[in-house]
Amino acid sequence: LLGQGRSSKPYCYARDGDGRRTKFPYKLYSKAPSVTTIAEETSPISMGKNTNTNVHYSINLWANMIDDYARHCNMDEVILMGNSLGSLVALSAATGDFIKTPNNVDRENMFGYLAGNHLGERSRVKGVCLFNCAVGLNSMNVLKNPNFSAVQRNVLQWIFGILNNLIFDNELLLKFALNDVVTKDLLRDALKSLYTYNPEQVDEDLVDSFYYPAKFGGDGAVEAIRQIYTNDAGLSPMELTAKYPEILDKKLPLHLIWGDSDVVTPINGDVGQFYCDRVANNRGGKGMTTIDVVSAGHLLFDDNPSDTNSALLRWINKRVL
């Protein structure tokens, strides 16, 4: 599970196939006794705990890390699940899009451990589930909306440029904001705005997981935030689908679970409407993409764990296992 916030702060337990106790993120669990869940953090604030500012953050960086981890642990039959921008990481890992090849090397000869390749190396991904899928690493990908006129696109590009120059590329301002503006109360209110039905789930542990890296992450916290908002946004879900139709349309079961009250990545936004259209009109012709909408905000695992888990398990049992 690739996600943000409490999605990588496991606090539920179940028994795996060997009888060992395994932590499960949020209140996410599986009734299948042989299934193990592993959580990976992609929150920009938590990345600030690493004060190494030489890292260039990107969707493909995390996808490469996930692929390396799966290879190291000799994983097989993997279900990738991503929350928000973690959804893009899951798609990149599942398709092998993160692979960079020299100009003189045929990309089909290169492959990721999880994705396999076109020369017989099989994919180890059994399915992909996306929770409130984001448009990219940051909002710059909204500029790719084909419905925008040239004027609209230029205006938005100008606005993003101003924001980047005045705020996100302004190291002194970011340091001031983290040191003198950010408080626990401010973070608590911001987090509660992401919960539509159960804001009481925002406890001190969750607030602290954002507060302390922001306050004590040093240059690493500032640099992580700067990069997340200014680095290349990567390929959007729409671009990845167009680039890898054989995988995302015909081979991999792909499931979307969306909170109906999500204000960060709303279902009536570009990505949500793209996937709703694909499901409603069976784009790709294989019926491989499905969607569930639950009563929840952006952090649907915490906001409505019962319905979220039920939707996930139905898909796993029907489409994957």
Side-chain angles (χ1 to χ4, degrees), residues 17-296:
D18 296 323
R20 296 170 297 188
R21 192 172 76 157
T22 303
K23 289 184 177 181
F24 285 80
Y26 277 75
K27 294 177 178 174
L28 177 68
Y29 62 90
S30 171
K31 293 180 179 178
S34 60
V35 174
T36 300
T37 300
I38 297 171
E40 173 70 20
E41 177 67 277
T42 59
S43 166
I45 286 291
S46 292
M47 288 186 294
K49 288 184 286 189
N50 177 4
T51 56
N52 180 359
T53 57
N54 293 320
V55 175
H56 184 82
Y57 295 113
S58 69
I59 297 296
N60 284 345
L61 169 68
W62 288 309
N64 200 345
M65 292 169 60
I66 296 302
D67 195 76
D68 284 346
Y69 183 78
R71 187 191 304 271
H72 176 76
C73 295
N74 196 29
M75 292 181 180
D76 201 6
E77 297 189 333
V78 175
I79 302 172
L80 288 171
M81 297 178 281
N83 170 228
S84 194
L85 69 85
S87 296
L88 278 301
V89 179
L91 289 174
S92 179
T95 59
D97 186 68
F98 63 89
I99 298 169
K100 291 183 172 62
T101 62
N103 292 332
N104 61 343
V105 175
D106 183 353
R107 193 181 189 283
E108 291 190 352
N109 290 317
M110 305 292 289
F111 59 94
Y113 175 80
L114 288 173
N117 71 352
H118 302 284
L119 300 177
E121 178 71 19
R122 66 180 178 83
S123 170
R124 293 174 173 83
V125 181
K126 295 280 288 183
V128 179
C129 186
L130 311 179
F131 302 90
N132 292 341
C133 183
V135 71
L137 179 66
N138 50 53
S139 297
M140 294 294 288
N141 268 355
V142 301
L143 297 173
K144 299 174 180 177
N145 187 327
N147 296 319
F148 285 162
S149 67
V151 173
Q152 289 174 310
R153 191 171 289 107
N154 287 334
V155 169
L156 283 172
Q157 195 163 18
W158 178 79
I159 292 173
F160 284 139
I162 292 295
L163 289 174
N164 287 346
N165 289 329
L166 293 181
I167 301 175
F168 301 118
D169 266 338
N170 190 330
E171 184 178 345
L172 291 177
L173 181 60
L174 287 178
K175 284 184 177 180
F176 170 77
L178 291 180
N179 292 333
D180 299 316
V181 177
V182 173
T183 64
K184 284 191 175 184
D185 288 338
L186 182 65
L187 284 173
R188 186 178 294 106
D189 290 342
L191 289 167
K192 283 185 176 181
S193 71
L194 304 179
Y195 290 74
T196 304
Y197 297 91
N198 289 302
E200 67 276 4
Q201 294 287 71
V202 180
D203 55 22
E204 288 307 305
D205 179 60
L206 183 60
V207 173
D208 288 347
S209 72
F210 285 86
Y211 178 78
Y212 286 106
K215 286 295 185 181
F216 306 109
D219 291 340
V222 172
E223 180 63 12
I225 293 174
R226 186 193 71 78
Q227 287 197 37
I228 292 302
Y229 285 98
T230 62
N231 283 1
D232 181 77
L235 295 183
S236 69
M238 294 76 88
E239 290 175 309
L240 285 167
T241 301
K243 188 175 180 180
Y244 302 101
E246 289 295 320
I247 298 175
L248 296 179
D249 274 340
K250 300 177 181 179
K251 291 183 179 179
L252 276 184
L254 179 66
H255 191 54
L256 289 296
I257 303 180
W258 225 290
D260 63 354
S261 300
D262 182 14
V263 296
V264 180
T265 56
I267 193 169
N268 60 355
D270 293 347
V271 179
Q273 289 304 294
F274 169 76
Y275 280 118
C276 285
D277 173 71
R278 294 192 70 75
V279 173
N281 296 291
N282 191 21
R283 306 294 184 190
K286 292 287 187 177
M288 299 296 284
T289 302
T290 52
I291 190 168
D292 275 305
V293 180
V294 300
S295 298

